[in-house]
Amino acid sequence: MKWEENVRKVIPYVPGEQPKKADIVKLNTNECPYPPSPMIQKAMEAFPYESLRRYPDPQATRLVTALADNYGLEPENVFVGVGSDDVLAMAFLTFFNSGKKILFPDITYSFYDVWADLFRIPYKCKPLDEEFRIRKEDYFEENGGVIFPNPNAPTGVEESVEMIEEIIRKNQDVVVIIDEAYIDFGGKSVLPLIHKYENLLVVRTFSKSRALAGVRIGYAFGSQKLIKYLNDAKFSFNSYTMNSATIEMGCACLQDKTYFQETVEKIIATRERVKQELSELGFVFPDSKANFIFAKHKTAKAKNIFEAAKQEGIYVRYFNKPRIDDYLRISIGTDEEMDRLLAFLKRYLG
């Protein structure tokens, strides 16, 4: 039809499957296997439901202030959105407008090329090396911006702060975005560098280490100038993006530092144990600093393992893409869930 000629057509992002079955082991979307802080339930019990008839605070001031206090920053250095996907999409829209190609790895978070296509941003994918590491020199050419996760998704590989700073230093005429969705699981953050480089944006989420994927809270740190530009774009798009209950839950979550640390430590301990057991079963993988392991078996095909596991009610992530179609991304669940996965693998591999 004629009207379709003017439709903005994109190939959408495909998230991990969200099965509706009961009694499954869900290790395919990097969710936290533990419930969020009990302080959140208390906050919701005290939440004034009559306030829902009013619009929420468009600045989400309480949450912005709580995040600033938690990380030793000023509120002017903090931006919040409805999940880190919302924050990242707003950053693409705000900062990548030069007409030059933005740069990101060929194996990375698969929403980046979707946003680039949606906003008509040209881009170039830079291939990771054979160990799934970034070649810093690939990012020294002229470009319209740089973005990559650290640790990377779906590989779990962490790059050093020193290497990332060299990329930032070589790109001070564009915005550099470091997506730290998984930084709490043993990685070293580049957050201190926002005081040194006003073009650096560091993006994080409550969905992984803080167990609030169902609530949708993302946030970013940057110079006052960067954050102002983000807010200007946000308020030109939709002022009331974060609801009042979400703001309360986010603030309550940040108060419970002990629970947060205990949760992260449990996930790290399970991850390290499972690495050892997978190795004994014939899997190889890069060293993960995330809440997942990106594993390849020496003889068994990833797609066959993926399909057989699904039949057993165990969901992992399989990517039918070049260079990684023999790998499975396995989220770290509870010890009981991982034991069920390992028992299946032992049976399957014979």
Side-chain angles (χ1 to χ4, degrees):
M1 300 296 288
K2 187 72 175 176
W3 60 266
E4 288 185 281
E5 295 176 7
N6 297 313
V7 172
R8 182 163 295 209
K9 302 178 184 71
V10 292
I11 299 173
Y13 170 75
V14 180
E17 185 176 354
Q18 297 285 359
K20 305 298 190 292
K21 303 175 184 176
D23 190 32
I24 64 163
V25 176
K26 190 171 182 297
L27 308 174
N28 65 334
T29 49
N30 299 340
E31 295 150 325
C32 183
Y34 302 105
S37 164
M39 285 190 180
I40 294 174
Q41 185 171 353
K42 292 180 181 178
M44 286 299 93
E45 290 171 355
F47 182 74
Y49 291 102
E50 69 277 6
S51 69
L52 294 178
R53 66 187 177 86
R54 299 192 181 277
Y55 287 111
D57 172 14
Q59 282 89 13
T61 305
R62 290 191 64 244
L63 181 57
V64 166
T65 302
L67 281 163
D69 291 344
N70 190 74
Y71 290 98
L73 301 171
E74 297 299 321
E76 291 77 16
N77 297 123
V78 181
F79 176 84
V80 297
V82 185
S84 61
D85 288 340
D86 179 46
V87 175
L88 288 164
M90 195 60 62
F92 269 63
L93 180 67
T94 305
F95 299 125
F96 295 158
N97 296 296
S98 70
K100 299 176 184 177
K101 291 181 179 179
I102 65 170
L103 307 178
F104 50 82
D106 64 333
I107 301 171
T108 192
Y109 185 31
S110 52
F111 226 141
Y112 295 161
D113 58 349
V114 174
W115 287 317
D117 288 337
L118 178 63
F119 297 131
R120 303 295 188 260
I121 300 167
Y123 64 92
K124 182 188 293 186
C125 295
K126 293 295 186 176
L128 299 177
D129 69 16
E130 293 307 308
E131 296 181 343
F132 295 139
R133 290 199 166 276
I134 286 174
R135 289 183 278 242
K136 62 183 179 182
E137 295 81 7
D138 288 346
Y139 295 83
F140 293 171
E141 67 183 55
E142 185 177 15
N143 62 75
V146 172
I147 179 169
F148 56 85
N150 193 53
N152 192 20
T155 66
V157 172
E158 181 193 22
E159 303 291 354
S160 71
V161 170
E162 292 74 22
M163 188 276 277
I164 295 174
E165 182 172 9
E166 192 168 353
I167 291 175
I168 299 167
R169 191 164 56 244
K170 295 280 189 177
N171 287 281
Q172 294 186 58
D173 57 343
V174 299
V175 172
V176 177
I177 302 174
I178 306 301
D179 182 352
E180 291 191 340
Y182 302 99
I183 200 67
D184 293 325
F185 300 106
K188 187 174 181 183
S189 176
V190 298
L191 177 57
L193 296 181
I194 68 168
H195 302 295
K196 189 173 181 180
Y197 302 97
E198 72 170 5
N199 64 316
L200 170 63
L201 190 74
V202 179
V203 179
R204 295 192 184 176
T205 178
F206 277 57
S207 296
K208 314 300 182 185
S209 55
R210 297 189 183 276
L212 285 177
V215 173
R216 314 306 299 130
I217 302 175
Y219 54 107
F221 303 122
S223 64
Q224 184 174 344
K225 186 180 292 187
L226 271 189
I227 299 304
K228 182 184 183 305
Y229 283 134
L230 270 176
N231 276 314
D232 287 347
K234 171 187 174 180
F235 296 142
S236 301
F237 184 76
N238 183 352
S239 296
Y240 303 107
T241 55
M242 185 169 288
N243 65 70
S244 301
T246 294
I247 293 170
E248 292 298 319
M249 284 188 274
C251 291
C253 184
L254 288 169
Q255 290 174 16
D256 201 344
K257 293 181 172 62
T258 299
Y259 185 88
F260 165 72
Q261 194 59 44
E262 289 174 349
T263 299
V264 168
E265 288 173 359
K266 283 193 291 187
I267 292 169
I268 292 173
T270 302
R271 180 190 70 200
E272 296 308 302
R273 174 178 72 87
V274 172
K275 282 180 185 177
Q276 179 64 36
E277 299 206 37
L278 287 176
S279 294
E280 293 170 1
L281 287 170
F283 285 90
V284 293
F285 42 83
D287 188 34
S288 174
K289 292 294 185 180
N291 67 335
F292 56 84
I293 300 170
F294 195 57
K296 171 184 177 180
H297 195 265
K298 293 176 181 178
T299 58
K301 293 293 184 183
K303 186 176 182 181
N304 294 341
I305 298 173
F306 163 76
E307 291 174 346
K310 191 173 179 179
Q311 291 297 317
E312 295 282 325
I314 302 170
Y315 287 71
V316 295
R317 191 79 188 268
Y318 170 70
F319 299 91
N320 188 15
K321 293 183 176 182
R323 298 186 67 194
I324 60 172
D325 61 348
D326 230 5
Y327 284 82
L328 298 170
R329 193 193 68 192
I330 303 167
S331 303
I332 301 302
T334 62
D335 282 313
E336 292 77 14
E337 288 173 327
M338 302 313 290
D339 287 342
R340 185 167 159 185
L341 168 71
L342 292 165
F344 156 75
L345 290 172
K346 288 173 184 175
R347 294 194 305 272
Y348 179 83
L349 297 169

